[in-house]
Amino acid sequence: MKWKNPVQTRAAVAQSAPSCIPGFATKVASGVSEALSLPRNIRSNNRYIMTSSIAHGKITGRDSEAQRLVTTLLSSHDENPVAVVSVIGVGGIGKTALAQHVYNTTRITENFDVRMWICVTDLFDELRITKEMLESASSSRFRHDGTTNFNRLQVALKARLASKRFFLVLDDVWNNHNMTMAIEQENWQKLLAPLQAGAKGSKILLTTRSRMVAEMLQSSYIISLEALLVNDCWSVIKTSMCDETNHTIDSQLEDIGRKIAETLSGLPLAAKVVAGRLKCKHSVDEWKQVLQRNAVWEEIMPILRTSYENLPAHLKQCFAYCSIFPRDWEFESEQLILLWIAQGFVHPDGCRRMEDIGKEYLLNLCNRSFFTIQNKEFVSYYVMPPVIYELAKSVATEECFRIGGDEWTRIPSSVRHLSVHLDSLLELDETIPYKNLRTLIFLTSRTVAPIKVSIPQVVLDNIQSLRVLDLSPCKMDRLPDRIRQCVHLRYLNVSSTTINTLPEYLCKLYHLQVLNLSGCRLEKLPSRMNNLVNLRHLTAANQIVSAITDIGRLKCLQRLPIFKVTREETHKIAQLGHLHELQGSLQIRNLENVDTPDEAKEAVLHKKDQLSMLQLMWASDRDEVNANREEDVLEALQPHQNLKRLDIMGWMGVKSPSWLESKWLSYLELIFLSGCNAWEQLPPLGQLPSVRTIWLQRLKMLRQIGPEAYGSGSQQVPFQSLEELVLDDMPELSEWLWSGQTMRNVRNIVIKDCEKLQALPPLPPNFTEITTARKGYWVPYHHDVKLAHATTGRSSVSSLCIFNCPLLLASFSSPMTNEIIASFGSLRSIITDQMTILRCPLIRERLELIESLEIQDCSEMTSFSTDDDDVLRQLKSLQSLCISGCNSLQSLPSTLSGIESLYKLVLWNCPELESLTKEPLPLSLRKIEVALCHPLLKEKLIKEYGVDWPKIAHIPWIEIEGEILQRLKTEQ
């Protein structure tokens, strides 16, 4: 870690004075002596001080974290002489205990000259911290008399640590929300500046509840502590109760103890509190009382509450609000932020979008360990750790309640935010103060399947103060009429209901910001939707959103997936000019209805800097085309330079717009040009520095791709970032002229319906997959290939798809240059619709290296020929074989049993295939999948009784028609 120099005060100047100045060394010695005479027990106002002492040498459930931490602390690979390592997590999760354990580890004590332990807490006192560092680093033989001069203390500390390898623990570090991050960072830099005098390899270990603190102090390594497993919690209880003696616990008590451990949310501190309660209890009834009362949180909560109290007021509101959702609720960031905005918790700052400010709030809470992030497929969810959820319920008891699922008490008159499980509707009676509610959210039932529900009338009669109403799990076919009274409503969610029409009164809810209609069977929206001038998020089918008249009045609208241009005033392209906050993707259709470039400029696309994807579409079935007008219109539709994807479809101009011939779109990652049939040469796409995918489709006048596409005036390597190239339906394209380097980063190339193309584009030296598919179906990341390559250390899987390109395919049987041959040096996977390609010299020479083969859509093939068997016999490395869509295939290749490397076999959609090979399948086979083949084949593979079952019985994973017949433990 390298800190900036602290602010130069007079004292700091004295500190940095060179030793050659007369009397400087004497002053340093004097400062050291004076500073070392400090009182050893510095009194503090802090609520709770931890020391480096540790009660036991063992730390339960944290062995792997402790080992990683010790290894990191002893490493010497950091560029900075003093590196910071951080342990983060919620209060009570065991950060300090882990730090204590590591601090006293033999490997640590033997490898550092000086060790220091400082408990920082939320009261940052630079004078106290410096004194304690100096005391920890000093011998006890010096007398103490107290010093309050910060500069003298720093000079003394610097002298004490000079050229020594030290280990400093800063325990329980907080951030100050009353101070900007820059000022707080500067204060820490000033405090820690003397530590730069230490020897290389010195380390600082930080424990904190806030990731922001860890990042502010430039941590080179961060360990985030998770909750303990139940068994580990129980071990902590036993260890704390028995003081590591061999005292045994009765089996009945142990059963109850484990149940108690399940209620502790994996919190070591809670386990220790429970141990204290159980220590003097010896009967089953006493332990059951502890389980039933579950009062441990009464003692834990004050410690956790300090995290909440350290939050600024606006974050306190946002955090407490989350308690109306069930435990372990997976929050989608956008949904949660919109709820906060609707309640007025997000405060505008004048220049940024409310959603961006809300996102900052959420990240701030996440950085302070109030949320953890869970990734599922392509979505990230924010989840409260169980102990934090308990904290949220504790601090929100006066305003936030949830009915259903967990136990709940009488709802006070102060309640403002309420969620209700559908199976608890009977709890909604007249005792609840509905008129005070600002939030009413219905949640799906945990016990019964979704049913058509009726919201009690007493609820509907008293909801006029609502800002948030979520009816999405309610199976209703019409919107309750009483909603017309909700004049303050900001957020309305009726997604997934069976509502098929919306009342016109909806357009009088002028404060509405969010309207979610996804999944509803609506044919149209109310006619006056443009009255909802505060609407920010409208989620509905694209066709009904694009039909909104005069949509430019919705100036706050964030997303508009499709806009159809007409010549009517209410649907002209100028409507887009008023939508300044559009973000995400925008598809503009029917651009042939734009008559002049001035009209196109009114869309103001060049100022829509939140758009990441722009699709410009002209109708393909036009009778008349004015090429000059279309060129002028496209020129006027210049997008913002932050654009990531650009599609131009159906444009009939000849000359490219100037903004596409320059480097204006320097952040563009994907460009799709389709149906632009008058384009005779490409713009200089090769000079776009960030383009990773180029997709060219139906450019029917394009005859060659040459230097004009590279950007010849540029000094940079053309197509420097290109990874994927698609040439699709280019009937006149005959050659790709190239005299320079290959496209060195290209991983995937698809060439389809290019009948005149005679040679491949410039390829990188190593391709790993070649595909020939009758239907042009392209799978660039084939699962088995990716898996196989991961095991051999190769990190990427690439593909070349060639379909309906006879001249190009013929070239595989012709003599090739050394460069082309080298391009296939790492060929590992083939997907083909014709076995003949496997007999081409270029491919046949590499058959022994092929790891994956998919034979698809060979509709004429009834069996494998002798030549096919000969080819398959050479597949010495084959791991995956898939035969699919072969409608006439009646038998499998006889050589199949001899492929001793085969790992997976897939037989799919071969309706005439009645049996396997006569010989048993290879012993190496670990997985077989059969589906949509002849019914007799399924009968022959019936477990234990089928005729062919003995041929596959040794395979751990057997899946027939989607049913898993066998799944041995080795494959789970």
Side-chain angles (χ1 to χ4, degrees), residues 707 710 717-719 736-744 761-763 819:
Y710 311 145
V717 177
F719 303 105
W736 186 303
L737 301 176
W738 185 265
S739 59
Q741 303 177 43
T742 59
M743 299 179 187
R744 58 189 178 188
L763 298 177
E819 289 79 6

Side-chain angles (χ1 to χ4, degrees), residues 308-323:
Y308 172 77
E309 290 169 350
N310 196 250
L311 290 174
H314 60 277
L315 292 187
K316 286 181 179 179
Q317 285 181 308
C318 295
F319 170 66
Y321 187 80
C322 298
S323 65

Side-chain angles (χ1 to χ4, degrees), residues 293-362:
R293 284 190 59 202
N294 194 19
V296 63
W297 300 112
E298 296 173 5
E299 295 186 40
I300 301 298
M301 207 51 67
I303 297 173
L304 298 176
R305 200 177 180 108
T306 55
S307 297
Y308 172 77
E309 290 169 350
N310 196 250
L311 290 174
H314 60 277
L315 292 187
K316 286 181 179 179
Q317 285 181 308
C318 295
F319 170 66
Y321 187 80
C322 298
S323 65
I324 66 174
F325 293 91
R327 182 189 301 271
D328 300 323
W329 186 264
E330 295 175 338
F331 292 96
E332 292 185 48
S333 61
E334 181 177 279
Q335 178 201 41
L336 181 57
I337 291 165
L338 294 180
L339 290 172
W340 288 345
I341 292 173
Q343 295 300 340
F345 297 159
V346 178
H347 305 306
D349 63 7
C351 56
R352 290 187 298 164
R353 294 170 59 249
M354 296 284 284
E355 289 77 4
D356 293 334
I357 300 171
K359 182 68 172 179
E360 183 181 283
Y361 288 8
L362 182 57

Side-chain angles (χ1 to χ4, degrees), residues 334 338 491-496 502 513-520 522 525 529 535-542 544-545 548 557-561:
E334 181 177 279
L338 294 180
Y491 181 109
L492 177 61
N493 183 1
V494 292
S495 63
S496 303
L502 289 174
Q513 298 172 348
V514 178
L515 178 58
N516 190 342
L517 306 169
S518 63
C520 296
L522 297 170
L525 294 172
M529 284 294 293
L535 197 63
R536 303 180 68 84
H537 296 269
L538 173 60
T539 308
N542 290 341
I544 63 175
V545 174
I548 296 176
L557 199 64
Q558 305 287 301
R559 289 186 175 88
L560 179 62

Side-chain angles (χ1 to χ4, degrees), residues 757-769:
L757 188 62
Q758 303 177 43
L760 292 170
L763 298 177
N766 292 308
F767 260 97
T768 56
E769 184 174 345

Side-chain angles (χ1 to χ4, degrees), residues 505-522:
Y505 72 70
L506 189 70
C507 302
K508 293 184 178 180
L509 303 179
Y510 302 120
H511 293 292
L512 203 61
Q513 298 172 348
V514 178
L515 178 58
N516 190 342
L517 306 169
S518 63
C520 296
R521 303 169 185 175
L522 297 170

